[in-house]
Amino acid sequence: MLTEAAIASLKSNMRGELIEPSDARYNEARKVYNGMIDRRPRIIARCMDVADVIAAVNFGRDNQLRIAIRGGGHSGPGLSTVDDGLVIDLSTMKGVRVDPAKRTVRVGAGCTIGDVDHATHAFGQAVPFGIFSTTGVAGLTLSGGHGYLSRQYGLAVDNLMEADVVLADGSFVVASATENLDLFWALRGGGGNFGVVTSFQFRTHPAKIIYGGPLFFELADAIPVMRWYRGFLSDAPDEFYIFLGLHIVLPADPFPQEHRGKKCCVLVVAHNGSTTDAERAVNTMRAALPKPIIDWAQPMPYTALQSMFDEFYPKGMQWYWKGDFVRTLPDAAIEAHLAHLGEMPSPFCVMHLYPIDGAVHRQNEDATAWGCRDATWSMVIAGVDPNPSNFPTLKKWTRDYWQAVHPFNLNSAYPNFMWDDEGEERVKAAYGNNYQRLATLKKKYDPGNLFRVNQNIRPAA
Ligand SMILES: Cc1cc2nc3c(=O)[nH]c(=O)nc-3n(C[C@H](O)[C@H](O)[C@H](O)COP(=O)(O)OP(=O)(O)OC[C@H]3O[C@@H](n4cnc5c(N)ncnc54)[C@H](O)[C@@H]3O)c2cc1C
């Protein structure tokens, strides 16, 4: 039983706010990015610093509350909130400190990608994160983190140098290549299973002006474009990244009126070399492909590319997604993809194939906990729409689509693209040969499975 005295004691131990259901701010505070998630936590602890996090972890554990950890709140299945439990909300812990000489950046656990990009961009540097600036750094990094710079510089976890962590027993530790090495290994892919990370230190890399943007191709040209794309990665230099998408042209500015509503195959390019090299590479690509109906690829600040799609997907839309790792894209798979593009129920739905190669492949499989370095792509199919009444249709389309293409894919998925009902076998598959070691470390660092609102790794028996 949670007592008023226990809550009062937590309040007196925190500088941040506690938000309960009776609070006028509660309904806003419990919202996450996915508008379809409607959970009612018993209490939201909005932490300001590490001391607040220690107090909150101790409170949650001692009062036997289920604990959800919130970084940016972007988890599709809503793994940063919990009915009747405690949300440890880190979203106000936003400090960023760039060390341009050492090429590192220290990042508070509540930062979004945009917060960090903004700070590092001033120095012409960046960390490889994801492709929406509104996504949280914490959840993205702890389960891997792939994006435009991953072919060149690896995953976010490959660039993590150090993390400050509050463990399940309330103790504070630093994990790095020299301290708590086993925990450092587990944090680089093992998600929120091992503790609450309060800050991260990353290596940064040069990325200032990037040649980037989307090219939209008519549906009639989708097969040659997808065939071209499946051969592209093996010859392309690491600094040339392209992800493939299947989309409907949105009925909104700046999309040209005459193309709105068209089903399209999209290539989103990001070349982080010199502008001359980039122009040559993208023009060679253009020459090899059918003429796109929209071609917005051009030199732009890295931060512009990173935030290019944010405005079309504001907080509060309905999301359902499923993913898989993919090694090859045979013609039969292309056909299955295009059949489901044909059935797409909303112009906000997407299918994306993100490259997993280059620098990601150059790390050994067991160098970090992240589990699938021999995939070629990470696939996500996302049913998205603003209207809650469309959710059943989005879910059905996503699941049917996934069923149709899954036989061509690997039997595992990026944990950040899994739903919360996929079962333990899928979690094991996501980590492959690294799973057993993760379960052993879970037993060491969180034997009671306090941190289980996540893609859960159960403590070894
Ligand atoms: C629009 C959109 C675009 C995306 N694009 C990409 C992409 O390009 N690349 C990519 O790799 N992924 C991408 N993702 C997936 C994204 O990485 C995950 O949704 C991720 O969980 C988001 O992190 P967050 O901090 O916002 O999550 P939250 O919802 O806040 O947290 C998710 C989980 O992470 C864990 N967690 C969060 N913070 C901490 C912490 N400080 N300590 C310990 N555990 C913590 C918890 O277990 C929590 O349950 C995208 C998601 C969306 C919605």
Side-chain angles (χ1 to χ4, degrees), residues 69-81:
I69 311 166
R70 183 181 306 168
H74 258 51
S75 156
L79 292 172
S80 48
T81 183

Side-chain angles (χ1 to χ4, degrees), residues 108-150:
C111 285
T112 61
I113 291 174
D115 296 328
V116 184
D117 282 345
H118 173 76
T120 53
H121 191 65
F123 302 97
Q125 299 283 306
V127 180
F129 290 136
I131 63 154
F132 272 70
S133 82
T134 52
T135 309
V137 165
L140 173 128
T141 298
L142 293 169
S143 288
H146 52 64
Y148 293 122
L149 302 178
S150 291

